[in-house]
Amino acid sequence: MPNASFRPSRLDLTIAALIGTTLLLAAPRFAHGQTVASARPTTPAETTTVAPAAPAAAPAPTPAASLAVPITFFGEVRTRSEWDAPGGGVTADAFTYLRTRFGARIDAAPGARIVLQLQDSRVLGAEGNATATAPDQFDLHQGYVELSAPWRGVSFGVRAGRQEISLGNERLVGAVGWSNTGRSFDGARVTLAPQNAKPGSEAWTATLFGAT
């Protein structure tokens, strides 16, 4: 039988003190983000688990994703029917115009823009008629490069290529939108306007162009 008068030796007390000190030092680390178990057997419901850490932030976008160039597509389909009765010996005629335009605007960089616009103009049912008034059935209506930047307190812009030009309410020069083919010019244009002014509400504007 075990001796009822057993007394721990000095070595046993030293070992117990070392174990207690180790547990005290390790307690904060176990209490932070780890599972704490009791000394007695526990059930799964009695185990305390610290919530997982929040997910890491999304990675920064790659350089390739930030190099995307914004492109805007635009277009129109217009039809107009006319009855022409000139009188005299010329017989009356009825016909229908069809004009289709499709374009893309590319904002390559701040202050840099590229515009391309295709046009198809025809008289329905007259594609094989040499007298049809649609000389350019399919053509490049606009295709230009535009650069703009502030300069000495004004907004300075340059546009070069095939483009529409409308000045003086089109009484001086215009795009002639009523025509089924319209009008565009090959040339260059320089514009000046007050900086940061809303388009159409400027106190003044200046335009210099040369085109054919």
Side-chain angles (χ1 to χ4, degrees):
M1 295 179 63
N3 188 359
S5 61
F6 171 76
R7 295 180 179 179
S9 63
R10 180 177 298 178
L11 180 61
D12 295 334
L13 293 176
T14 303
I15 295 175
L18 292 176
I19 294 175
T21 303
T22 304
L23 292 176
L24 289 176
L25 294 176
R29 186 179 64 180
F30 278 86
H32 182 71
Q34 296 192 17
T35 302
V36 179
S38 59
R40 61 185 178 83
T42 61
T43 61
E46 295 176 332
T47 303
T48 303
T49 304
V50 179
T62 59
S66 61
L67 294 178
V69 177
I71 302 177
T72 303
F73 297 98
F74 58 95
E76 67 173 45
V77 177
R78 191 188 75 174
T79 178
R80 183 176 78 244
S81 298
E82 295 185 5
W83 170 265
D84 185 18
V90 182
T91 59
D93 190 14
F95 49 88
T96 299
Y97 285 123
L98 176 65
R99 187 177 76 186
T100 306
R101 291 177 177 177
F102 180 77
R105 181 172 59 250
I106 306 171
D107 296 316
R113 174 176 293 177
I114 301 173
V115 174
L116 298 173
Q117 186 181 39
L118 301 176
Q119 173 179 278
D120 181 84
S121 173
R122 62 185 63 243
V123 178
L124 294 181
E127 286 81 357
N129 187 352
T131 62
T133 57
D136 297 323
Q137 290 189 348
F138 185 78
D139 198 3
L140 176 67
H141 184 64
Q142 292 193 100
Y144 62 83
V145 177
E146 185 176 21
L147 304 175
S148 61
W151 179 70
R152 296 188 177 182
V154 300
S155 178
F156 179 81
V158 177
R159 180 184 296 182
R162 178 167 294 184
Q163 57 190 283
E164 291 183 349
I165 299 178
S166 299
L167 298 175
N169 198 22
E170 297 196 19
R171 296 189 181 187
L172 175 62
V173 60
V176 193
W178 177 254
S179 168
N180 201 52
T181 57
R183 178 192 291 169
S184 57
F185 302 85
D186 294 334
R189 176 167 50 171
V190 177
T191 58
L192 297 174
Q195 189 176 354
N196 300 326
K198 185 178 180 180
S201 62
E202 305 94 334
W204 61 270
T205 60
T207 302
L208 174 66
F209 70 93
T212 58

